[in-house]
Amino acid sequence: MFKHLMWVAVALPSTAMAAETPDTAVTTLISGLEELRKPSKRSATIVQNLHQSLDIDGLAERSLTKTWPTLDAKQKKDFRALLRELMEKVAYPNAAKAFSPSFDRNIAASVKKGQSHWVSVEISHPDQGLIELDFVLTEKAGNWRIVDVHLDGVSLALNIRNQMQAVIKKDSYAVLLKRIREKIDAEKS
């Protein structure tokens, strides 16, 4: 299950979604994931709302670190689009498995820390017990975006960055793109 939650932090988009508070941004994300559990509800609107609650563009840049500045505008645009597709086809459905409207969940704390806001959510899972998630948000153009999720104190965005950097270092950026596409294709079949 924790593997499924890891992918919550992967997607980060650039379109704005109105969210009055950090708490509502997190609630919107979780509600959207819960809706994805219903096969008849896998609409483009739900996916777009999920994309808009996350900072996918920021994740793209932070994940590629030194590689990002070497990419031209088209390559950056293509990588962002690939991350969005990875989120839609792999991350969101996998993360949705961890959430159910029947699970008890509540916002345990909501605290401003410097330029970011942390929203702690506790979920009572029937098999896993109490799961504590810390959502890290920043405000961009008047809207709150989730930039990271911490599970048991581990930054999922950092985990993703480290995985991508390991592939680039061992192989290449081209191999990273190939592996992401293979992961997407595997979920389609």
Side-chain angles (χ1 to χ4, degrees):
M1 174 169 102
F2 296 124
K3 170 174 84 173
H4 301 306
L5 289 172
M6 177 178 86
W7 286 102
V8 170
V10 176
L12 308 171
S14 61
T15 18
M17 179 174 106
E20 293 180 29
T21 67
D23 295 8
T24 57
V26 170
T27 301
T28 298
L29 174 75
I30 293 172
S31 297
L33 291 171
E34 289 171 347
E35 284 296 305
L36 282 181
R37 291 178 61 90
K38 305 171 189 171
S40 63
K41 294 284 187 174
R42 293 199 178 194
S43 74
T45 303
I46 292 171
V47 170
Q48 185 62 30
N49 287 342
L50 289 170
H51 280 341
Q52 291 174 343
S53 65
L54 300 169
D55 177 22
I56 293 174
D57 290 348
L59 180 65
E61 187 173 346
R62 288 187 305 274
S63 296
L64 294 183
T65 61
K66 294 177 184 174
T67 304
W68 188 257
T70 68
L71 302 178
D72 63 34
K74 182 181 181 325
Q75 289 171 313
K76 289 176 181 179
K77 180 181 175 185
D78 291 348
F79 187 74
R80 288 183 192 116
L82 188 63
L83 274 183
R84 284 187 183 85
E85 186 176 5
L86 180 67
M87 295 304 290
E88 179 181 348
K89 305 290 189 219
V90 180
Y92 297 153
N94 285 338
K97 294 174 186 173
F99 294 97
S100 169
S102 64
F103 298 170
D104 289 331
R105 64 176 160 86
N106 70 298
I107 293 179
S110 187
V111 179
K112 183 169 176 52
K113 294 183 180 181
Q115 296 297 324
S116 58
H117 200 96
W118 289 57
V119 177
S120 297
V121 176
E122 293 177 341
I123 301 169
S124 293
H125 191 281
D127 299 324
Q128 303 290 326
L130 185 66
I131 299 169
E132 296 179 19
L133 298 170
D134 293 314
F135 292 84
V136 183
L137 299 92
T138 59
E139 193 172 16
K140 294 186 179 191
N143 298 296
W144 289 97
R145 296 292 180 89
I146 298 166
V147 296
D148 199 0
V149 179
H150 290 227
L151 175 63
D152 292 334
V154 176
S155 164
L156 301 178
L158 181 60
N159 188 326
I160 291 163
R161 186 187 82 190
N162 289 343
Q163 289 178 35
M164 288 187 182
Q165 287 304 304
V167 172
I168 292 170
K169 185 176 181 178
K170 180 178 181 272
D171 295 306
S172 67
Y173 174 68
V175 170
L176 173 66
L177 296 178
K178 180 179 179 236
R179 288 189 186 169
I180 292 172
R181 286 187 187 105
E182 287 171 349
K183 186 128 184 108
I184 292 167
D185 291 343
E187 290 297 317
K188 288 180 184 177
S189 27

